[in-house]
Amino acid sequence: MSLYEQFAQRVRENLPVALASVIDGPHIGSLLLVTPEGAQGGTLGNAELDRVVARDTQGELEAGRTSVRHYGPQGQTTPEDLHNTPTVRVFIDTFSPPPMMVIFGAVDFTAALARVAKVLGYHVVVCDAREVFATRRRFPMADEVLVTWPTPLFTERGARLTQRDAVCILTHDPKFDVPAVIGALATNVGYIGVMGSRKTHAKRVERLIEAGVTAEQMQRLMSPIGLDIGARTPEETAISICGEIIARRTGRGAPSLRDGDGPIHK
Amino acid sequence: MRDLLDDLDRWKAQGKPIAIARVIDIEGSGPRDPGAAMAVNGDGEVIGSVSGGCVEGAVVAEALTILHGDNQPRLVTFGYSDDEAFAVGLTCGGIIHLFIQPLTW
C-alpha cells in the first residue's frame, strides 16, 4: 500500500493520523506517516530525524494541533545543537477524529447542549441508565444515545478521552453523578463539568470525598457548570457550558460560576 | 484534505498528475487554518480551497507550473504589501504560507 493509500484509509476510518513533511531544507517534500502508535511509513531522510519528528507528531496528534517545527538534519532540537547547521522545517499536519462530548443525564438541558456541541463539531454521546428517557427520538441530534451506567461506559471508552474531549454531567442524581465524576476523573479528559446549584455541589463534594476523591482531583471539576453569563434556559445554559469549555482550552479569563459566590441566578 | 480524498482517488486512477497545496502558516488574520488544502490536476481541474477565494487562482498557476515543469515542491507566500502580491493579496490583510507538492507518494 502506498503512503497515500495508508493515509486515506486512516482518514476514512476516522482514525487519528498525521503527515509530517519537510517543507524547507534537505529532502524537501519527503514525508513521514505517523499514528498515535508511532511512525508507520516514509522517511524524512535520516533515521534520528524520523524518530524525533515521530515523537513530536504523536504529541501533536494527542493535542489535535497542526504546526511547523524546526530541527537539525539529524533531528537536533536544542539551540546549541542547531547552531551552524542547516535547519529542516517540518510541517506536522494532523488529522484527528472529531472531539467527543459525553453528556450524562437525558434531560432537557441535554438536548440543548447536544445541539450546541454539534455546531462546535463534537461527536456527541448521550448516556442515561433510564431506558424511557435515553431514546434516539428525544435526542435525534446526538451521534449516540446509550442506555448504560457511567462505570461501564468509562471502562469501554475512558482510555480514548483526551484533552480535546469533554464530559458534562447533568443528572443531578447522586446514584449517577458520583460514578460519573469518579469515572471521568480517571481519564485524561480535558473538561469535566457537573451541573447543580452550589448547595447540590457541596453535598456532592461530601459524597465524592467519602468515595475517596482527593481535593486535588476535585480541582478538575467545573461545578457549578458554565460561565457566569446569566443563562437561564436550557439553550442559554448550553452556550454558557460550551463557552466555558472554549475558555478553559484557550486559557482565557472568562468568569466561571465556580470562581464566584452567591446565587447563580440574580 | 479529508474532503479531497474521493476526487484524489479518481484522479489517481485516471493517472493524472496532481499537486496538493496546503496552508502551513497564517500571519495576522486568515480565512482558513493551517491544514486547509486544495488540489490541482494536470488538466487544471481544482478541488478544495486554501483561502476565501483570494489566492486560489494564483495557487492553480503555481501548481501547474510545478506539474508542467520541474515537479519540485515549493513554499509560496501570498499577502506581501508590494504591487505584485497586491494582485493576489488576502482581503483580510493577513499573510498566508503554502506548501505546494506533487502527489507522488
Side-chain angles (χ1 to χ4, degrees):
Chain A
M1 219 193 294
S2 73
L3 218 50
Y4 169 80
E5 283 162 344
Q6 285 183 62
F7 164 76
Q9 186 177 354
R10 295 277 305 186
V11 172
R12 286 205 167 99
E13 288 173 4
N14 251 333
L15 297 169
V17 63
L19 281 175
S21 325
V22 174
I23 56 168
D24 201 11
H27 306 286
I28 181 171
S30 62
L31 291 161
L32 191 67
L33 186 81
V34 182
T35 69
E37 293 75 38
Q40 304 298 324
T43 177
L44 305 182
N46 177 273
E48 193 54 20
L49 179 64
D50 287 347
R51 189 187 67 77
V52 175
V53 170
R55 181 199 67 196
D56 290 350
T57 303
Q58 286 172 287
E60 295 299 75
L61 273 172
E62 166 79 11
R65 252 191 325 250
T66 284
S67 65
V68 175
R69 287 172 176 256
H70 301 77
Y71 302 92
Q74 282 90 42
Q76 303 93 319
T77 52
T78 61
E80 308 85 77
D81 288 344
L82 285 172
H83 193 64
N84 283 335
T85 63
T87 304
V88 183
R89 290 173 71 203
V90 177
F91 177 46
I92 299 176
D93 199 1
T94 62
F95 300 80
S96 300
M100 187 182 293
M101 181 187 287
V102 182
I103 310 174
F104 288 105
V107 296
D108 285 349
F109 286 95
T110 308
L113 180 55
R115 268 200 299 278
V116 175
K118 284 309 294 175
V119 170
L120 294 178
Y122 283 93
H123 177 92
V124 177
V125 179
V126 173
C127 172
D128 197 307
R130 301 167 301 174
E131 220 170 299
V132 282
F133 293 113
T135 63
R136 279 236 64 99
R137 183 189 287 267
R138 293 188 69 216
F139 304 103
M141 71 301 281
D143 296 284
E144 297 176 70
V145 180
L146 305 176
V147 182
T148 185
W149 285 84
T151 308
L153 184 141
F154 282 115
T155 304
E156 194 204 317
R157 310 210 174 180
R160 273 192 270 157
L161 295 174
T162 70
Q163 284 298 309
R164 306 163 62 227
D165 304 313
V167 170
C168 299
I169 300 162
L170 312 184
T171 33
H172 293 86
D173 177 353
K175 274 206 312 294
F176 213 79
D177 286 7
V178 171
V181 168
I182 290 171
L185 284 172
T187 71
N188 288 324
V189 73
Y191 176 89
I192 307 171
V194 198
M195 190 175 261
S197 64
R198 293 193 191 281
K199 209 191 279 178
T200 307
H201 176 64
K203 278 195 205 145
R204 189 158 44 216
V205 167
E206 283 172 28
R207 288 200 189 87
L208 289 169
I209 290 170
E210 278 170 31
V213 174
T214 66
E216 195 193 339
Q217 288 177 304
M218 217 77 82
Q219 287 294 313
R220 282 178 69 192
L221 304 183
M222 300 309 292
S223 179
I225 196 169
L227 292 181
D228 188 3
I229 57 173
R232 282 186 177 274
T233 65
E235 291 73 19
E236 290 173 354
T237 305
I239 298 284
S240 119
I241 294 169
C242 288
E244 181 169 74
I245 292 172
I246 296 166
R248 299 291 297 176
R249 191 192 67 218
T250 56
R252 299 303 173 92
S256 290
L257 285 165
R258 184 188 71 167
D259 302 328
D261 45 32
I264 294 174
H265 301 293
K266 289 171 191 150
Chain B
M1 192 125 72
R2 195 182 286 272
D3 304 338
L4 310 185
L5 293 177
D6 289 346
D7 287 312
L8 290 179
D9 283 356
R10 190 165 47 82
W11 288 354
K12 278 176 84 80
Q14 292 166 348
K16 298 195 172 168
I18 303 165
I20 294 181
R22 291 181 287 166
V23 177
I24 58 156
D25 198 13
I26 294 280
E27 293 172 52
S29 61
R32 301 286 309 269
D33 284 333
M38 64 184 275
V40 180
N41 72 21
D43 299 338
E45 289 181 89
V46 181
I47 51 174
S49 78
V50 291
S51 72
C54 315
V55 304
E56 273 74 1
V59 174
V60 172
E62 197 69 37
L64 289 174
T65 306
I66 292 174
L67 291 176
H68 297 152
D70 59 7
N71 227 27
Q72 289 303 304
R74 67 189 69 166
L75 278 168
V76 183
T77 296
F78 294 115
Y80 294 122
S81 55
D82 64 37
D83 286 346
E84 191 198 344
F86 185 71
V88 290
L90 297 172
T91 48
C92 49
I95 296 175
I96 182 172
H97 299 277
L98 300 165
F99 187 62
I100 311 179
Q101 180 180 31
L103 178 55
T104 49
W105 37 285

